Structures are given as C-alpha cells and as structure tokens.
Amino acid sequence: MTTNKRQTRVREQQESYTDPYAAYPLIEERYEVIEGVRYDLKPAPTVHHQQLVTSIWGSLSDTCAMNGEIFVSPIDVYLNEDYQFQPDVIFITNENRSIIKKKRIEGAPDLIVEILSPSTGWKDKQKKKEAYGLFGVKEYWLVDPHLQTVDQLVLIDGELQLNQTYGHLDTLTAEQFPCISVDFEKLFGALIKFEDDE
C-alpha cells in the first residue's frame, strides 16, 4: 500500500509539470511554422530589436495610418497549415484589409519587416523570403541592426528580389506604397542610447 501511494504521488507531480503555461493562462506559446516544421520563438527579443520594431512601427504610423493597418509582433500571419509566421512589423493596405480577422491575419500582408538576429537570420533571409514571395507579399524588408543596413525586396514575377540596400544615413521609400518614408539615420541613431557598457 505504501509503495502504491508513493508511486501515485510521484506521477501526479510529474503531470503537474508537463504544461508550463497551465498556471499562467494568459501566456501564449510563440512559434512559427515553415514548410510544416515548427520553430519555437524566444520569449524576449533584445532591447535593440524592440527599439527598431517600435521605431519602424512609429514611422509607418506617422505617414501611412490613413492608408492601412500597421501591426507589430506577436500577431499570427496564417498563410496555410505549413506556413504560419509572426513577423516583427506588418503593413496591410486598406484594399487588402479583408485578410485581418479577429484572432489572426489570414493571407499575405502587403509589407513585412523582419529585424535580423543571429538565431533567426538564416530563416529570415532564405526560408521566409521564399515563402513570402510564394504567397504574394509585395515587399519585404530585412533590417540588420549590427551592420545598420536594410535590404528592400520587392515582388517580381512571384519572387522577392532585392530592389535596394539602404545604409544608416538613408531614407527608405517604396514605389508601391507612396506613403512610406523611413529615416534610418534617426532609427539606427536611437540605438546608441542602449549600448552596453563594456
């Protein structure tokens, strides 16, 4: 009898740890699906990453708020069962707003921005680029905080191709979206406030 009680007690303790989110129902798992493979996302991006996300969102909101909707991660972009993403910044024009649903975006946004990091850069540059082009994302920006550059890719014949690379002193404009004008000297300059003391 004593042995059975001990075994039951141990089993109950193990079960209580199988779901780390059970005690915190408001915390949601963050992940992306690429080619049917799930990739878990880190729970906390760096300060530089979030500063750029916030600044790009603010810049787009200042000039494009009347032309569409601007979102920042975490928000799900569902393309199909094998392709589900959480881009850093998303712009959806008024003409395309039907893809915005109550719980997620279902379909290709007009513009997606990803801030590169060492752990996700290869997916952003290769797998996501291919998927976004396949599903018809019109423009894709790859922002490199380390090099302080922005690759602007545009959709041509079903493939996202490099249109221009902007440096930290440049202002990015987009032929497809006349409202866009992003001053990257200002955006990258703001990162100096958060440099680590070494």
Side-chain angles (χ1 to χ4, degrees), residues 98-154:
S98 64
I99 69 172
I100 304 172
K101 308 301 181 183
K102 185 175 181 179
K103 294 186 176 181
R104 63 187 182 186
I105 294 166
E106 298 182 3
D110 295 282
L111 165 67
I112 287 177
V113 182
E114 296 281 9
I115 314 300
L116 297 177
S117 68
S119 62
T120 65
W122 69 275
K123 291 197 299 286
D124 295 334
K125 291 178 179 179
Q126 298 179 30
K127 291 184 176 294
K128 289 185 183 181
K129 172 181 170 285
E130 292 174 4
Y132 291 154
L134 177 67
F135 285 91
V137 173
K138 294 176 184 174
E139 193 155 317
Y140 182 35
W141 300 353
L142 291 165
V143 181
D144 190 322
H146 179 68
L147 297 177
Q148 296 192 358
T149 60
V150 183
D151 287 341
Q152 179 189 46
L153 294 91
V154 298

Side-chain angles (χ1 to χ4, degrees), residues 179-195:
C179 65
I180 289 178
S181 179
V182 181
D183 182 352
F184 280 100
E185 181 178 13
K186 179 179 178 181
L187 265 61
F188 285 123
L191 300 182
I192 296 174
K193 295 184 295 184
F194 306 106
E195 290 290 344

Side-chain angles (χ1 to χ4, degrees), residues 150-185:
V150 183
D151 287 341
Q152 179 189 46
L153 294 91
V154 298
L155 189 67
I156 300 174
D157 297 328
E159 181 182 350
L160 284 165
Q161 300 181 24
L162 181 64
N163 180 60
Q164 188 168 343
T165 297
Y166 293 85
H168 71 283
L169 298 179
D170 296 327
T171 298
L172 187 153
T173 58
E175 185 176 342
Q176 301 182 83
F177 313 111
C179 65
I180 289 178
S181 179
V182 181
D183 182 352
F184 280 100
E185 181 178 13

Side-chain angles (χ1 to χ4, degrees), residues 29-43:
E29 293 181 276
R30 294 188 59 223
Y31 62 90
E32 296 181 317
V33 179
I34 307 174
E35 297 176 337
V37 178
R38 172 176 163 150
Y39 295 89
D40 291 318
L41 300 176
K42 290 184 177 181

